Amino acid sequence: MPCDWSQERPGMALPPTVSWQEGALVLVDQRRLPHELVLITLTDYRELATAIEQMYVRGAPAIGVAAAYGLALAARQALPGSASQVLQMVEQAATRLRSTRPTAVNLFWAIDRLLSVAHSCSHLPAEDIAQRLLQEAHRVAEEDLQANRRLGHFGAQLLPDTANVLTHCNAGALATAGYGTALGIIRAAREQGKRIHVYVDETRPRLQGARLTMFELMTDGIPCTLIVDGAAGFLLRRGMVDAVIFGADRVAANGDVVNKVGTYPLAVVACENSVPVYCAAPLSTVDLSVPEGDLVPIEERSSEEVLWIGQERIAPAGAQAANPAFDVTPARYITAIITEAGVLRPPYEESLRLAMRGTRACE
Ligand code: MRU
């Protein structure tokens, strides 16, 4: 079924990040938030590839959902045409979409899933293949929403009745099909009657924390305070934080977490101060084919993102800047990985493997 924001969406007063409306893909333009809530309508998978690169849509699960719809879109673009023309267009789209962002594994996971549906129904008429792909994309979106609700429920139980939580980047409804991963835990804790206040890292250079997480939390009426990334250590040392919760772009087989740059120092300082560090991620973010986090490709984005804030250049003309978009947090700093299968604890090789197999491996 299509995502429709006229449906009741408890805990989420925003339209869905990614939705399918009248044969087109509709995205919330996350670059314009929090100042403007603008929806963009895409009818060509190439437009989606550009939108992912330019971060109109971002956040690992949301990128995966968008890519799934992108392949459904590609199939429709080949109509009216033969089944083999549809498959060819879908393959082309898969190749282009795979090239957009290298780190979030949900992108590759969703593309593989849709391609496997396309190949399994290649004997059907072209219209039916396109329809099957759209149905699968709807399933990817719906499963992500349900996974977030489940992991939110598990994670909320780990928080005290009154808690200060610190989060990094945006792992909210905007980064997923809805509800969020790290913010899903916060939403679920509030639904369980807990009193939660959130410290939000601004998350340089793209300011996903300041722009998106603050917007989501304030829209939902969740108490929150913005801090600069460098202030996190001070708060942790002062005992002002009860838990650190962040999302993931990829979780390696050994439990190393690849997430927005700045996550690693945050986790190290939290451990140093005996504050629990929780990674919230659906199983679609787990990549058992990668043995450890240092083997995950880390996206290097334009230095302009560092040298400028908005329209203002903040470094001298000619300054160089490095801009790794993600970092790797070794598993030893992660207290638990919270998934829709439950709360996973070390040793993660074992608990992740069992969770991926569908075996109960967790609390
Ligand atoms: O560069 P971004 O904004 O796509 O990075 C997003 C993150 O790092 C998120 O924390 C991660 O994708 C988890 S989103 C549920």
Side-chain angles (χ1 to χ4, degrees):
M1 81 245 62
C3 290
D4 174 0
W5 64 81
S6 62
Q7 290 166 8
E8 195 191 350
R9 295 170 61 82
M12 199 55 242
L14 287 168
T17 307
V18 179
S19 59
W20 185 262
Q21 305 284 324
E22 294 166 14
L25 179 55
V26 177
L27 303 178
V28 171
D29 181 352
Q30 299 194 39
R31 300 168 323 150
R32 314 263 287 261
L33 287 171
H35 306 299
E36 293 174 296
L37 179 54
V38 174
L39 300 174
I40 57 163
T41 302
L42 310 179
T43 52
D44 188 316
Y45 76 82
R46 298 171 194 90
E47 296 169 333
L48 172 64
T50 306
I52 294 174
E53 282 164 348
Q54 296 184 0
M55 294 175 68
Y56 288 65
V57 60
R58 35 69 46 204
I63 293 171
V65 172
Y69 281 116
L71 294 197
L73 205 53
R76 289 171 75 98
Q77 286 176 245
L79 297 178
S82 65
S84 74
Q85 283 169 327
V86 167
L87 289 174
Q88 203 185 344
M89 185 72 102
V90 169
E91 290 282 0
Q92 255 175 37
T95 304
R96 173 69 184 99
L97 290 167
R98 277 185 209 280
S99 73
T100 54
R101 296 194 72 190
T103 306
V105 75
N106 303 61
L107 172 68
F108 308 98
W109 170 87
I111 290 172
D112 288 346
R113 180 165 160 172
L114 271 276
L115 279 182
S116 119
V117 169
H119 291 134
S120 72
C121 62
S122 56
H123 57 285
L124 296 177
E127 287 76 10
D128 293 359
I129 301 174
Q131 191 53 30
R132 292 278 178 100
L133 288 177
L134 181 58
Q135 283 165 356
E136 192 65 12
H138 287 326
R139 263 194 288 273
V140 168
E142 183 57 26
E143 286 172 21
D144 185 61
L145 181 60
Q146 294 314 326
N148 293 339
R149 287 195 180 284
R150 277 180 68 78
L151 75 83
H153 167 79
F154 290 129
Q157 292 169 354
L158 300 175
L159 296 179
D161 286 346
T162 301
N164 284 292
V165 170
L166 197 155
T167 192
H168 189 67
C169 197
N170 172 265
L174 288 163
T176 63
Y179 204 64
T181 56
L183 297 195
I185 291 175
I186 289 159
R187 290 193 164 101
R190 296 251 309 169
E191 286 162 18
Q192 291 173 14
K194 298 188 177 187
R195 288 179 298 279
I196 308 292
H197 165 265
V198 189
Y199 287 110
V200 179
D201 273 358
E202 63 173 351
T203 319
R204 276 282 285 151
R206 303 266 319 194
L207 301 170
Q208 291 93 331
R211 295 187 304 104
L212 307 177
T213 299
M214 289 300 287
F215 176 70
E216 280 197 38
L217 293 173
M218 291 173 72
T219 302
D220 274 10
I222 299 174
C224 51
T225 304
L226 182 64
I227 58 170
V228 297
D229 301 333
F234 174 77
L235 269 61
L236 286 158
R237 189 169 163 78
R238 279 277 164 106
M240 294 165 68
V241 178
D242 300 295
V244 170
I245 311 180
F246 45 74
D249 284 81
R250 205 183 290 219
V251 177
N254 68 347
D256 290 352
V257 170
V258 181
N259 191 48
K260 180 52 56 195
V261 71
T263 301
Y264 169 46
L266 179 61
V268 172
V269 180
C271 279
E272 159 78 10
N273 289 281
S274 306
V275 173
V277 176
Y278 299 124
C279 170
L283 294 176
S284 54
T285 302
V286 176
D287 185 357
L288 294 185
S289 76
V290 173
E292 57 184 83
D294 286 322
L295 298 173
V296 172
I298 300 294
E299 179 181 11
E300 180 76 29
R301 293 187 63 86
S302 161
S303 61
E304 302 290 292
E305 292 182 350
V306 177
L307 295 168
W308 293 73
I309 296 185
Q311 300 306 308
E312 192 175 347
R313 190 185 172 91
I314 56 170
Q320 286 187 35
N323 189 12
F326 302 96
D327 63 20
V328 181
T329 302
R332 64 180 175 280
Y333 296 110
I334 310 284
T335 312
I337 300 174
I338 301 161
T339 73
E340 68 271 38
V343 177
L344 310 187
R345 301 278 185 180
Y348 293 117
E349 284 85 356
E350 183 70 358
S351 53
L352 283 168
R353 200 170 43 81
L354 292 175
M356 294 294 275
R357 267 206 216 145
T359 312
R360 191 167 170 79
C362 36
E363 297 155 18

